[in-house]
Amino acid sequence: MPEGDTVWNTARVLHRALAGARITGSDFRVPQLATTDLTGWTVRESASRGKHLLLRLDTPTGEHWSLHSHLRMDGAWRAYAPGERWSGRSAHLIRVVLRSPGAVAVGYHLHELTLVPTADEDHLVGHLGPDLLGPDWDPDEAVRRLAEHPEQTIGEALLDQRNLAGVGNLYKCEVLFLRGVSPWTPVGGVPDLPGLVALAQRLLAANRGRWTQSSTGSLHRGQTSYVYGRRAQPCRRCGTAIRKEELGERVTYWCPVCQPERPAPPPAG
């Protein structure tokens, strides 16, 4: 699931493969960048910002540009050795290919693929809240942003990247289960918002550097989550069947016994 930790890992893979390298060829397969040629450009670094990935490059004349991409639910970057067979995804999903002397980076089914001056990155990611895996992580600011909308459900609020950047459906479900909070509890009814935010950061950080996402501590297949992906299976705490609800692309899993809904407190005065 491409959430903040997956994007962080992807950025590290691209950084190891391309940082400091000169691009020897590029192939963009999206209309807005179809004629773009990065040959001769140098990769400065690869970085993540929440669920956004930023590949920062320098032109031969010293200008700074950033190739921005979003993985959403199905995007991915892969790094291959020159001459290695590109495996894992269908060729028709390729959106960009970047070649260097030591590696070939291939972007599959990328979204919002954009090339902008690095100084303009804020136009793309400046609206995001504190990044749970970034140097700017500020739990107090994340709590403040969440608390600004006390009537919003906590499930919706955690997915709003303007509050804190990096949480997706998987971590939303797991964090709320571990804190015993229903996804439909209004933010104002969450008893310990700082504790919930701190747990979200710890879970993402614990999975940083590995591709198997686990909230249980186990990396064994079928044992990595408490509720996510476990519809109708027994709750690991109480044995009640886990429930699932879909709303568009949003999916929520929860235990109705372990996660009782709490009402929002009445307005002051």
Side-chain angles (χ1 to χ4, degrees), residues 90-235:
S90 300
H92 75 276
L93 296 176
I94 295 174
R95 299 294 179 263
V96 59
V97 179
L98 301 176
R99 300 179 184 274
S100 74
V104 180
V106 183
Y108 297 92
H109 215 168
L110 301 176
H111 303 267
E112 303 173 26
L113 193 61
T114 313
L115 186 66
V116 300
T118 297
D120 293 342
E121 282 183 0
D122 260 9
H123 297 325
L124 301 172
V125 298
H127 65 288
L128 299 175
D131 183 349
L132 287 104
L133 297 181
D136 71 326
W137 172 238
D138 184 342
D140 294 334
E141 175 63 13
V143 170
R144 185 192 69 78
R145 292 188 181 213
L146 287 167
E148 282 186 334
H149 305 284
E151 301 301 322
Q152 187 179 33
T153 68
I154 187 61
E156 294 174 305
L158 286 175
L159 292 177
D160 189 337
Q161 302 299 294
R162 295 169 296 183
N163 293 327
L164 64 172
V167 172
N169 278 328
L170 186 155
Y171 287 113
K172 174 202 73 177
C173 296
E174 295 296 286
V175 167
L176 292 178
F177 173 80
L178 288 167
R179 298 296 298 183
V181 177
S182 165
W184 289 275
T185 297
V187 171
V190 176
D192 183 8
L193 207 52
L196 188 149
V197 166
L199 177 59
Q201 197 279 332
R202 288 199 301 273
L203 283 184
L204 265 76
N207 287 309
R208 185 171 48 191
R210 67 186 183 201
W211 298 103
T212 300
Q213 295 164 308
S214 174
S215 58
T216 64
S218 173
L219 300 180
H220 295 293
R221 185 179 180 87
Q223 300 178 18
T224 58
S225 68
Y226 288 101
V227 292
Y228 188 85
R230 300 189 65 244
R231 183 180 68 85
Q233 297 181 48
C235 173

Side-chain angles (χ1 to χ4, degrees), residues 53-72:
L53 195 142
L54 298 158
L55 194 63
R56 298 181 177 125
L57 311 107
D58 295 334
T59 70
T61 57
E63 297 174 333
H64 305 312
W65 287 77
S66 296
L67 180 63
H68 164 265
S69 59
H70 198 296
L71 303 187
R72 291 195 186 172

